[in-house]
Amino acid sequence: MAEGEVRKVDTAAGKISLKHGEIKNLDMPPMTMVFQVSDPALLGKVKAGDKVRFTAVQVNGAYTVTSIEAAP
């Protein structure tokens, strides 16, 4: 899981903007970017400003969050 902070939640488009640390499984350095979500219900769990832990994968060329939870 990677750690980050929610910058924006776009429920209509099914996207979330995250400022995140390194995502090792994607070989991605820390940055802020927009991700698709695998399940729109995930967006109801978080809001802008929340510190989160999440899992992201690449699906058909799109970076997609598959799980997200509030960071402890």
Side-chain angles (χ1 to χ4, degrees):
M1 293 191 97
E3 296 189 2
E5 180 181 333
V6 178
R7 292 297 194 190
K8 181 180 177 186
V9 176
D10 186 343
T11 48
K15 296 181 180 180
I16 187 167
S17 177
L18 296 169
K19 178 181 179 185
H20 62 79
E22 180 183 13
I23 304 177
K24 292 182 180 174
N25 65 307
L26 297 175
D27 196 26
M28 185 181 292
M31 66 178 80
T32 300
M33 65 178 284
V34 177
F35 292 87
Q36 301 282 343
V37 291
S38 61
D39 178 358
L42 294 173
L43 298 176
K45 297 181 177 183
V46 296
K47 64 185 183 310
D50 285 357
K51 303 282 189 199
V52 294
R53 290 170 39 105
F54 65 97
T55 304
V57 296
Q58 196 167 6
V59 179
N60 298 326
Y63 292 112
T64 305
V65 171
T66 56
S67 70
I68 192 163
E69 63 188 35

